[in-house]
């Protein structure tokens, strides 16, 4: 049995579950970035204040794209922080004002996200879901480059 866009319904349901997990993690990641942006202090303030803003602006776009992909697959995106907190692997980061500490948390959060994106990429490929494959492929490419840059910053 196929859904509206021609994907096997059972495979689409599995993808929706994983995409909702990714969505929950991106929401926590986004909120962490907002907190770092607001609370950063010290000599790196100007540089990191802008970097955190750049990262949260990108994350909020991804949140919307993931939710819309879930809807395209005929699923329902999670949309409450209760569900996000229950589902996400990424933890809330509270009271972080140190730039290096914030960047280390961002790196760890990105590692979680990229691992989840790779799982979804594989599932989507097996489901002949080119739309999700393309989305995850783009995210992975961007995240790999960002991780390299953040790691260089920390070195």
């Amino acid at each position: 049995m196929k859904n509206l866009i021609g994907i096997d319904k059972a495979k689409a349901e599995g993808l929706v579950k994983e995409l909702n997990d990714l969505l929950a993690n991106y929401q926590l990641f986004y909120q962490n970035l907002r907190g770092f942006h607001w609370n950063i202090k010290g000599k790196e303030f100007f540089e990191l204040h802008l970097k955190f803003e750049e990262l949260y602006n990108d994350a909020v776009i991804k949140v919307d794209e993931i939710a819309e992909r879930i809807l395209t697959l005929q699923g329902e995106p999670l949309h409450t922080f209760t569900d996000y907190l229950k589902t996400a692997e990424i933890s809330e980061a509270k009271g972080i004002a140190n730039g290096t500490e914030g960047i280390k948390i961002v790196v760890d959060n990105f590692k979680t996200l990229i691992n989840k994106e790779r799982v979804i990429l594989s599932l989507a490929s097996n489901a002949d879901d080119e739309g999700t494959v393309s989305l995850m492929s783009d995210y992975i490419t961007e995240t790999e480059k960002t991780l390299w840059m953040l790691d260089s910053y920390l070195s």
Side-chain angles (χ1 to χ4, degrees):
M1 191 81 145
K2 305 251 182 188
N3 67 9
L4 179 66
I5 62 170
I7 307 293
D8 177 270
K9 281 187 177 187
K11 290 180 179 181
E13 288 173 10
L15 282 164
V16 164
K17 181 182 181 300
E18 295 300 324
L19 285 164
N20 262 319
D21 179 71
L22 183 63
L23 176 63
N25 279 281
Y26 256 105
Q27 286 283 29
L28 270 286
F29 178 56
Y30 168 80
Q31 200 58 46
N32 286 346
L33 291 165
R34 292 303 300 239
F36 301 153
H37 171 76
W38 292 327
N39 295 304
I40 190 75
K41 292 187 178 10
K43 293 178 185 174
E44 300 165 320
F45 171 82
F46 292 105
E47 177 183 0
L48 291 179
H49 184 74
L50 291 173
K51 178 50 81 175
F52 292 136
E53 182 176 9
E54 173 191 319
L55 292 171
Y56 76 65
N57 283 334
D58 181 66
V60 78
I61 290 168
K62 286 181 171 65
V63 162
D64 192 55
E65 290 172 343
I66 295 164
E68 288 178 352
R69 189 68 199 161
I70 291 166
L71 290 162
T72 300
L73 291 167
Q74 298 188 294
E76 181 180 348
L78 298 177
H79 56 276
T80 67
F81 269 91
T82 301
D83 287 336
Y84 298 149
L85 290 168
K86 191 170 28 173
T87 304
E89 217 175 286
I90 290 176
S91 301
E92 296 173 300
K94 185 176 178 182
I96 307 297
N98 178 280
T100 300
E101 187 179 352
I103 293 293
K104 286 178 180 177
I105 292 168
V106 170
V107 167
D108 286 342
N109 288 180
F110 267 131
K111 287 179 183 178
T112 298
L113 294 169
I114 201 168
N115 287 332
K116 291 180 178 304
E117 291 162 357
R118 286 193 168 108
V119 167
I120 293 167
L121 178 69
S122 179
L123 290 172
S125 181
N126 290 334
D128 295 323
D129 177 2
E130 185 58 37
T132 304
V133 165
S134 177
L135 192 64
M136 291 303 108
S137 181
D138 289 347
Y139 288 5
I140 290 166
T141 300
E142 290 175 36
T143 302
E144 287 173 342
K145 184 174 182 180
T146 303
L147 277 168
W148 158 64
M149 290 179 168
L150 293 174
D151 186 58
S152 294
Y153 179 86
L154 291 171
S155 295

